[in-house]
Amino acid sequence: MTYLEWLKQATQSLAGSGSPKRDAEIILSFVTRKTRTFLMAFSETKLTEEEMTQLNNYLERRKKGEPIAYITGEKEFWSLSFAVSPVTLIPRPDTEKLVELALERLPKEPCEILDLGTGTGAVAIAMATERPDCLFTAIDYNIEAIKLAQSNADRIGVDNIYFLQGDWFKPVKNRKFSMIVSNPPYIDAADPHLSRGDVRFEPLSALVAGDQGLLDIKTIVEVSVKHLKQYGWLLIEHGWQQGEAVQMIFKQRGFQLVTTYTDYSGNDRVTLGRWFKP
């Protein structure tokens, strides 16, 4: 069977997924170690028996709904390649908005930034590549996530991040930062979307929070004031219907310049505020 023949067959087989042709191309490229351009230019190339076995195995996994990123073990974020595994969430394009907004507000001089719930390390590592002069601390409760994030940092080549295992702010005790960023769990346990699509395979502990998805956000906002320097920024990613509620949480704690920004699809996604204590 040729590249082209397999792509046609796989695309038809994956008709139930959101992007069957793209999924098939990613799987074929991953197995053959060829670029999409090569696959198209040499579409009559014959697949080996070993390649066919791998392709069919991955195709069956994708048909059952397993995310492409878990099948290939990698995902692009901020034009960087991250290793992923089922112990962490898969980095999503919408989270790049959090990185973008954070970088815009960093002081020009070197400073310290805290990333809470780092997962794959995507947010901290993306920011660290843009600001090698700054020092980042990234925390996650899951020790396996910390190991994965550290390996991603090593692979990408950033050495200005300290990865720590622990519950939110506990590993940093009395330290203060110029900025705190977080993409915490924010989905309500009763949300029907948890039983659909890729999230079925992702860790619930990284997705679900109590109090209609707001519990961890409330904790972060409440405790962050003890760890922010004067005029420091707090930026939190949240659900598309939570913008107003998260703004209220920020304002009740005394944050100034509280604003909610939309992601690239136009949905409320990141709320931020500046800490100022007279």
Side-chain angles (χ1 to χ4, degrees), residues 180 220-229 231-236 246-259 271-277:
I180 298 172
I220 292 169
V221 175
E222 177 70 24
V223 184
S224 67
V225 298
K226 299 176 183 178
H227 296 275
L228 278 171
K229 294 180 179 179
Y231 306 115
W233 289 96
L234 173 64
L235 299 91
I236 297 180
V246 176
Q247 278 199 39
M248 185 62 68
I249 295 168
F250 271 67
K251 291 175 181 177
Q252 287 175 341
R253 196 63 187 86
F255 279 86
Q256 305 296 314
L257 303 176
V258 177
T259 311
T271 294
L272 55 81
R274 198 170 200 183
W275 178 243
F276 171 68
K277 186 176 182 180

Side-chain angles (χ1 to χ4, degrees), residues 121-136:
V123 171
I125 292 171
M127 292 181 66
T129 62
E130 302 289 344
R131 290 296 302 268
D133 59 318
C134 293
L135 180 63
F136 294 80

Side-chain angles (χ1 to χ4, degrees), residues 36-265:
R36 183 175 182 274
T37 302
F38 184 95
L39 296 178
M40 297 302 102
F42 300 94
S43 60
E44 296 306 311
T45 303
K46 294 280 188 179
L47 290 160
T48 66
E49 287 187 20
E50 183 180 354
E51 288 172 336
M52 283 295 299
T53 299
Q54 287 182 293
L55 286 168
N56 291 334
N57 174 261
Y58 294 149
L59 185 61
E60 285 303 309
R61 288 169 62 182
R62 183 55 185 153
K63 283 166 66 176
K64 292 176 182 177
E66 186 174 349
I68 283 287
Y70 286 162
I71 293 172
T72 63
E74 56 191 29
K75 177 69 174 180
E76 183 180 295
F77 180 86
W78 203 256
S79 298
L80 302 167
S81 178
F82 286 85
V84 300
S85 82
V87 303
T88 66
L89 293 185
I90 299 166
R92 287 170 168 77
D94 290 340
T95 303
E96 292 189 0
K97 189 68 178 181
L98 175 63
V99 175
E100 178 186 314
L101 292 167
L103 289 171
E104 289 173 356
R105 285 160 180 78
L106 278 182
K108 292 182 179 179
E109 63 274 9
C111 63
E112 292 192 47
I113 301 97
L114 175 63
D115 175 27
L116 295 171
T118 195
T120 60
V123 171
I125 292 171
M127 292 181 66
T129 62
E130 302 289 344
R131 290 296 302 268
D133 59 318
C134 293
L135 180 63
F136 294 80
T137 300
I139 295 173
D140 202 285
Y141 186 78
N142 188 327
I143 188 61
E144 294 305 319
I146 289 296
K147 291 177 182 177
L148 180 63
Q150 181 67 68
S151 68
N152 276 323
D154 293 341
R155 186 172 69 162
I156 291 170
V158 294
D159 58 4
N160 53 330
I161 308 176
Y162 288 102
F163 293 98
L164 303 175
Q165 188 271 333
D167 187 13
W168 297 128
F169 294 92
K170 287 183 179 179
V172 290
K173 296 183 179 179
N174 298 320
R175 288 176 59 194
K176 290 183 180 288
F177 302 84
S178 296
M179 177 178 286
I180 298 172
V181 297
S182 183
N183 177 15
Y186 55 73
I187 299 177
D188 185 357
D191 193 317
H193 291 92
L194 290 170
S195 61
R196 305 171 192 167
D198 288 359
V199 295
R200 291 176 296 161
F201 293 82
E202 295 180 279
L204 280 178
S205 60
L207 291 165
V208 174
D211 196 4
Q212 297 180 312
L214 295 171
L215 183 60
D216 289 328
I217 292 175
K218 287 181 177 179
T219 298
I220 292 169
V221 175
E222 177 70 24
V223 184
S224 67
V225 298
K226 299 176 183 178
H227 296 275
L228 278 171
K229 294 180 179 179
Q230 183 79 307
Y231 306 115
W233 289 96
L234 173 64
L235 299 91
I236 297 180
E237 179 173 336
H238 52 74
W240 66 281
Q241 293 178 309
Q242 295 175 327
E244 187 175 335
V246 176
Q247 278 199 39
M248 185 62 68
I249 295 168
F250 271 67
K251 291 175 181 177
Q252 287 175 341
R253 196 63 187 86
F255 279 86
Q256 305 296 314
L257 303 176
V258 177
T259 311
T260 297
Y261 289 84
T262 58
D263 58 28
Y264 305 117
S265 300

